[in-house]
Amino acid sequence: MTPTPAPTDHDPRTRLVVLDMAGTTVADGGLVEQAFTRAAERLGVAPDLAYVRATMGESKISVFRALFGDEELARRANTEFELAYAELVDGGLVTALPGAAGAIAALRDQGRKVALTTGFSRTTQDAILDALGWREIADLTLCPADAGRGRPYPDLVLTALLRTGTDDVRQVAVAGDTSYDMLTGVRAGAAVVAGVLTGAHDRERLTGAGATHVLGSVAELPALLTAREEEV
């Protein structure tokens, strides 16, 4: 019996764009470090801000597990962190990065699905979305609990692909401000893994983690994707 040949056609158009939140579409302004410091103080431990900066973008519970090596203490720390971050959000300290809302609208106007992802819990993610009036801004929002594992694993991107009915990982673009965002995109097989310079990590960290492009901000992403497709 002659085997059926595998399909060779490939649609190069980007159908799904997976965007990080804090540092990419949402201004961080040091809020993660502030929340971590508050949480550490409430637990009576010294805050290791160097490690927090190095692991920006990673699932927060994973960060606390690595720091404390104790599941119960890690969960307590995560709870305190989420409470502290929520206090900052309620205090009106969360803002959108310039051009972010316009970029998301432009991407969707181009016919692309947009997913917003985070390393925070669903409660914190929803609080940020509510503070910004962003409940309807994207096609999908995901946190680590929705996908199984957070960054740097590929789960968030692949869950977005499945939920939006995207056919091929090569039709996915990922954008973020940390090396963990880049690793997530690379591991998921995304064709475009774009680092932005509005958040935690610099050009060297982003390219070292696999960025295919480095942009000044997410506002440049719609034009990049359009230009890339015009070249094909």
Side-chain angles (χ1 to χ4, degrees), residues 90-172:
D90 290 342
L93 298 180
V94 169
T95 59
L97 279 165
I104 294 170
L107 291 167
R108 297 183 78 186
D109 287 344
Q110 291 170 350
R112 313 181 202 279
K113 300 289 187 181
V114 175
L116 292 177
T117 63
T118 184
F120 296 135
S121 71
R122 167 55 60 184
T123 299
T124 301
Q125 184 179 37
D126 284 347
I128 295 170
L129 295 170
D130 286 339
L132 297 175
W134 276 16
R135 280 285 188 165
E136 306 298 327
I137 198 170
D139 297 279
L140 181 67
T141 62
L142 294 172
C143 67
D146 298 320
R149 297 175 297 181
R151 307 182 192 104
Y153 299 103
D155 302 31
L156 284 165
V157 176
L158 297 179
T159 299
L161 177 144
L162 292 171
R163 292 199 185 181
T164 57
T166 304
D167 296 332
D168 192 324
V169 293
R170 293 172 295 177
Q171 296 172 338
V172 178

Side-chain angles (χ1 to χ4, degrees), residues 12-78:
R13 179 175 167 81
T14 299
R15 300 290 183 181
L16 169 65
V17 182
V18 181
L19 302 175
D20 170 51
M21 291 182 66
T24 303
T25 54
V26 180
D28 174 62
L31 296 187
V32 169
E33 292 186 21
Q34 291 180 51
F36 181 81
T37 299
R38 288 190 187 185
E41 289 173 349
R42 292 170 185 175
L43 291 172
V45 298
D48 187 347
L49 293 180
Y51 186 79
V52 172
R53 295 185 190 108
T55 56
M56 284 289 190
E58 186 177 355
S59 170
K60 295 299 174 283
I61 185 63
S62 297
V63 173
F64 289 120
R65 284 172 179 147
L67 277 173
F68 300 122
D70 178 271
E71 184 65 19
E72 181 179 353
L73 183 56
R75 290 190 177 278
R76 285 176 54 204
N78 191 62

